[in-house]
């Protein structure tokens, strides 16, 4: 009799490969389901905006990114609000991890074209133009917009844009919490402009004394959910204003050349014409150079006579402050009747929200 050696089973060698194939098939099924859901919801949102009077269109749409990402690419995108404001992008890419589809990053690699209703177009290009949105399944998501070294170029014949370029422009929004955990219908916002350079002969250039303007502003937007309705022909802030929307707890700081100031306001709102109303308290250091530069502005809506009066008053107050050892000069900026006032002196039109 001859002993025969039993060959070992190879099933154990195949098992890991089989498990990997099963996992890959399941994951691919999830990715296909997810991307179809993204496509369906995107088309539904576009149709909803169109029914509300928006003009939304694009030349081509692609959804790629398998296996671990969901990437939506749009070309020749146009988004125009009922008020006439619009954004055009030759290319816009949005991307999220397939395992975390509630957080997205949106990039405009070729820049944007902004259309300002009644004012014309301005091209925006830079090293980076991107936005992130997380918690999109929440009542109000966390939003962050960032522009790195943006350059603003107004199209020929259109109204000039106040800023020519900047080192950074950032805008953040997040749900306002009552206490530490309870979300409300309000939103915390922060805007930051770093080393902004005004257009030639414009008010920003004059105010910054041919230097750089850096500012940071924070506020709470009340009843922010009204902004998500898309607005009407008057603008996105119109219905919000009519419903009593306000900016609360406004805080910020400003540096323009040699001039510096911190600012605060309890409440700011808009009037029926969309102009800002309320008052802002300033603690200013060396305000005279900024006001003198504003007075010397050769283009734009600046009231040079009012700026000259404000500069003279600030100069006298600054001299008094030096005599008494007071470095900071308290000033009050008032928005009323569609104008911006420093004491009795009108400086320029009040900022317009819509």
């Amino acid at each position: 009799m001859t002993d025969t050696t039993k060959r070992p089973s190879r099933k154990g060698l195949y098992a890991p490969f089989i498990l990997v194939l099963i996992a890959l098939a399941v994951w691919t099924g999830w990715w296909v389901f997810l991307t179809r859901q993204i496509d369906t919801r995107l088309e539904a949102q576009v149709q909803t905006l169109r029914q509300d009077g928006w003009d939304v269109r694009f030349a081509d749409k692609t959804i790629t990114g398998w296996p671990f990402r969901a990437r939506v690419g749009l070309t020749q995108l146009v988004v125009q609000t009922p008020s006439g404001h619009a954004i055009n992008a030759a290319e816009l890419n949005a991307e999220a991890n397939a395992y975390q589809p509630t957080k997205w990053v949106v990039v405009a690699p070729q820049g944007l074209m902004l259309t300002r209703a009644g004012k014309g177009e301005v091209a925006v290009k830079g090293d980076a133009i991107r936005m992130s949105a997380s918690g999109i399944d929440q009542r109000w998501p966390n939003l962050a917009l960032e522009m790195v070294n943006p350059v603003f170029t107004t199209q020929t014949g259109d109204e000039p844009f106040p800023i020519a370029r900047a080192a950074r422009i950032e805008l953040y929004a997040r749900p306002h919490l009552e206490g530490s955990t309870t979300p409300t219908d309000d939103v915390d916002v922060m805007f930051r402009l770093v080393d902004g350079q005004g257009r030639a002969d414009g008010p920003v250039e004059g105010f910054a004394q041919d230097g750089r303007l850096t500012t940071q502003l924070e506020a709470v937007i009340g009843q922010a959910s009204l902004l998500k309705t898309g607005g009407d022909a008057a603008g996105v802030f119109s219905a919000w204003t009519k419903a009593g929307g306000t900016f609360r707890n406004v805080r910020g700081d400003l540096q323009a050349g040699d001039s510096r100031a911190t600012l605060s306001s309890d409440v700011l709102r808009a009037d029926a014409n969309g102009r800002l109303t309320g008052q802002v308290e300033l603690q200013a250091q060396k305000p005279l150079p900024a006001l003198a530069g504003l007075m010397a502005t050769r283009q734009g809506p600046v009231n040079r006579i009012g700026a000259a009066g404000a500069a003279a008053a600030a100069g006298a107050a600054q001299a008094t402050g030096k005599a008494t050892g007071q470095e900071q000069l308290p000033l009050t900026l008032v928005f009323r009747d569609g104008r911006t006032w420093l004491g009795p002196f009108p400086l320029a039109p009040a900022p317009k929200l819509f």
Side-chain angles (χ1 to χ4, degrees):
M1 297 181 62
T2 303
D3 294 334
T4 59
T5 304
K6 187 177 181 181
R7 299 179 64 184
S9 174
R10 296 185 179 181
K11 293 181 180 179
L13 297 176
Y14 298 137
F17 297 97
I18 295 173
L19 292 176
V20 169
L21 290 175
I22 293 174
L24 186 60
V26 171
W27 181 259
T28 300
W30 159 250
W31 186 89
V32 171
F33 171 79
L34 174 65
T35 53
R36 286 181 177 176
Q37 287 292 309
I38 292 171
D39 190 26
T40 300
R41 294 185 183 185
L42 176 60
E43 291 295 334
Q45 184 63 47
V46 168
Q47 292 302 320
T48 299
L49 290 174
R50 288 172 177 169
Q51 292 172 4
D52 291 338
W54 288 56
D55 179 16
V56 182
R57 60 184 186 274
F58 45 84
D60 187 39
K61 174 182 62 179
T62 59
I63 300 180
T64 58
W66 183 88
F68 298 118
R69 296 185 179 277
R71 185 181 301 111
V72 180
L74 302 175
T75 60
Q76 305 304 321
L77 172 67
V78 177
V79 180
Q80 180 174 324
T81 69
S83 62
H85 298 290
I87 296 177
N88 294 30
E91 180 183 357
L92 195 73
N93 299 317
E95 185 175 293
N97 291 321
Y99 52 84
Q100 192 181 16
T102 59
K103 182 177 181 179
W104 287 81
V105 176
V106 183
V107 179
Q110 299 184 39
L112 301 170
M113 179 69 74
L114 305 181
T115 300
R116 301 163 294 159
K119 296 182 179 181
E121 296 181 332
V122 55
V124 186
K125 292 186 178 296
D127 294 344
I129 300 176
R130 52 181 173 251
M131 184 184 75
S132 65
S134 61
I136 60 174
D137 55 340
Q138 300 175 163
R139 183 177 186 178
W140 189 274
N142 294 290
L143 302 175
L145 172 65
E146 182 183 28
M147 297 183 181
V148 181
N149 293 320
V151 177
F152 301 88
T153 306
T154 306
Q155 303 305 290
T156 303
D158 292 339
E159 183 174 319
F161 197 69
I163 298 294
R165 64 182 67 244
R168 298 183 76 89
I169 294 179
E170 300 171 359
L171 177 65
Y172 302 95
R174 67 181 183 184
H176 180 72
L177 301 180
E178 200 68 46
S180 59
T181 58
T182 306
T184 66
D185 194 30
D186 302 340
V187 169
D188 297 330
V189 295
M190 184 180 72
F191 171 78
R192 180 182 294 138
L193 170 68
V194 180
D195 288 342
Q197 180 181 343
R199 60 180 172 83
D201 299 327
V204 173
E205 182 186 69
F207 186 71
Q209 310 119 61
D210 294 334
R212 297 289 186 268
L213 175 64
T214 296
T215 183
Q216 177 173 308
L217 297 173
E218 301 178 16
V220 177
I221 299 180
Q223 303 185 55
S225 60
L226 292 174
L227 299 176
K228 299 170 70 174
T229 61
D232 52 24
V236 69
F237 282 100
S238 176
W240 175 78
T241 298
K242 293 176 183 177
T246 60
F247 297 102
R248 305 193 315 271
N249 301 327
V250 180
R251 300 291 184 269
D253 56 77
L254 177 72
Q255 181 175 349
D258 295 329
S259 304
R260 297 185 177 184
T262 59
L263 59 90
S264 62
S265 176
D266 292 334
V267 179
L268 294 174
R269 53 174 52 88
D271 61 19
N273 297 318
R275 298 285 182 182
L276 206 62
T277 65
Q279 68 180 40
V280 176
E281 304 298 330
L282 301 172
Q283 292 294 326
Q285 294 181 348
K286 299 181 180 180
L288 183 57
L291 292 172
L294 198 63
M295 178 183 63
T297 299
R298 292 184 290 275
Q299 296 181 9
V302 174
N303 186 317
R304 295 170 184 79
I305 297 177
Q318 186 171 308
T320 302
K322 287 182 178 179
T324 59
Q326 183 179 2
E327 294 185 0
Q328 292 191 338
L329 177 64
L331 300 171
T332 301
L333 202 63
V334 179
F335 305 111
R336 60 178 172 84
D337 303 327
R339 308 291 294 176
T340 301
W341 302 77
L342 186 59
F345 305 105
L347 299 180
K352 188 174 178 62
L353 295 183
F354 60 87

